[in-house]
Amino acid sequence: MRSPTKEEVLKRLSRIEGQVRGLSRMVEEGRYCIDLITQVSAVRAALKRVEEEVLRDHVAHCVEHAIRSGDAEDQRQKVKELMDVIVRAER
């Protein structure tokens, strides 16, 4: 992962970590169920953005490198990895 992406992803994950701690406090305090669900949805959306950023970085660097290399086996492997992760993300 390239450095700017790494730093951005780490910042996002740190914010998500804080959101999850906040969720724990909400549960401990017995907060209203809908408020909890709303916050869980916000955490899932934030994780989805992290996933998209990491995937974007992978395509821009790892997949692009395989394409430029001319190595057909490496290209097939990177495309397979990409397809596998996309399918998993859709579940």
Side-chain angles (χ1 to χ4, degrees), residues 18-53:
Q19 287 178 291
V20 172
R21 279 193 305 274
L23 273 168
S24 293
R25 280 192 305 277
M26 290 174 75
V27 170
E28 288 171 356
E29 295 167 358
R31 297 280 296 271
Y32 186 54
C33 298
I34 297 302
D35 293 340
L36 283 166
I37 292 168
T38 299
Q39 291 306 309
V40 168
S41 179
V43 169
R44 276 199 335 257
L47 283 170
K48 184 72 174 169
R49 286 189 296 275
V50 168
E51 178 183 45
E52 290 167 357
E53 187 62 33

Side-chain angles (χ1 to χ4, degrees), residues 58-79 81:
H58 177 68
V59 170
H61 296 92
C62 301
V63 174
E64 182 179 338
H65 179 267
I67 291 168
R68 288 178 188 248
S69 75
D71 181 338
E73 181 57 32
D74 193 28
Q75 292 168 356
R76 279 191 290 279
Q77 180 61 33
K78 294 297 184 241
V79 169
E81 289 173 353

